[in-house]
Amino acid sequence: MTMALKEKKIGFIGLGAMGKGMARQCVDKGFKLMVHDIRPEPVQELVGVGGEDGKSVQAIAAAADVIVTVLPTGREVDALVMGPDGIFAHAKPGTLVVDLSTIDPETTDKLHETATVSY
């Protein structure tokens, strides 16, 4: 039996103009949310309303069941998701990675080709 989504730990990386609002909605709706950004201010804001400071990309990747990214460009997505210290290198088997960044199709295709799925 699969775990209900509200029982899963969600990692949210990228708390800029779009990501912070999306992450806040998740916290407000009662999801277990770990957050991370290169800027400490939005992380602390979300911790103040019930989110958890994820501390690092690697820590979120190791702990989360679902990881959402909202990043500025394909370069950041490539490094953060597919780099040697990124999500794919540290995520548990079966982790769902959802990229909501507005990026070039080539990076999205590369994410798809690089991802491995375990059920």
Side-chain angles (χ1 to χ4, degrees):
M1 176 178 282
T2 60
M3 192 183 326
L5 188 55
K6 283 202 175 178
E7 296 172 12
K8 292 182 182 269
K9 184 158 286 215
I10 299 173
F12 207 104
I13 302 170
L15 304 172
M18 292 184 59
K20 184 171 77 169
M22 291 177 192
R24 176 64 189 254
Q25 287 295 313
C26 292
V27 171
D28 289 349
K29 301 295 183 197
F31 289 94
K32 298 175 187 174
L33 196 71
M34 299 174 71
V35 296
H36 181 69
D37 195 87
I38 59 172
R39 298 169 303 121
E41 297 83 11
V43 171
Q44 291 311 309
E45 182 179 329
L46 287 160
V47 166
V49 296
E52 176 186 345
D53 184 347
K55 305 290 185 197
S56 70
V57 170
Q58 297 82 11
I60 287 178
D65 302 297
V66 177
I67 302 171
V68 178
T69 59
V70 185
L71 303 168
T73 72
R75 183 177 62 241
E76 286 86 5
V77 172
D78 190 311
L80 194 102
V81 177
M82 297 177 281
D85 289 324
I87 293 169
F88 287 170
H90 296 277
K92 305 178 288 189
T95 300
L96 176 63
V97 178
V98 181
D99 178 54
L100 300 177
S101 308
T102 305
I103 59 172
D104 59 280
E106 293 80 20
T107 301
T108 301
D109 290 345
K110 186 176 175 186
L111 281 173
H112 174 73
E113 292 166 6
T114 306
T116 58
V117 180
S118 298
Y119 292 98

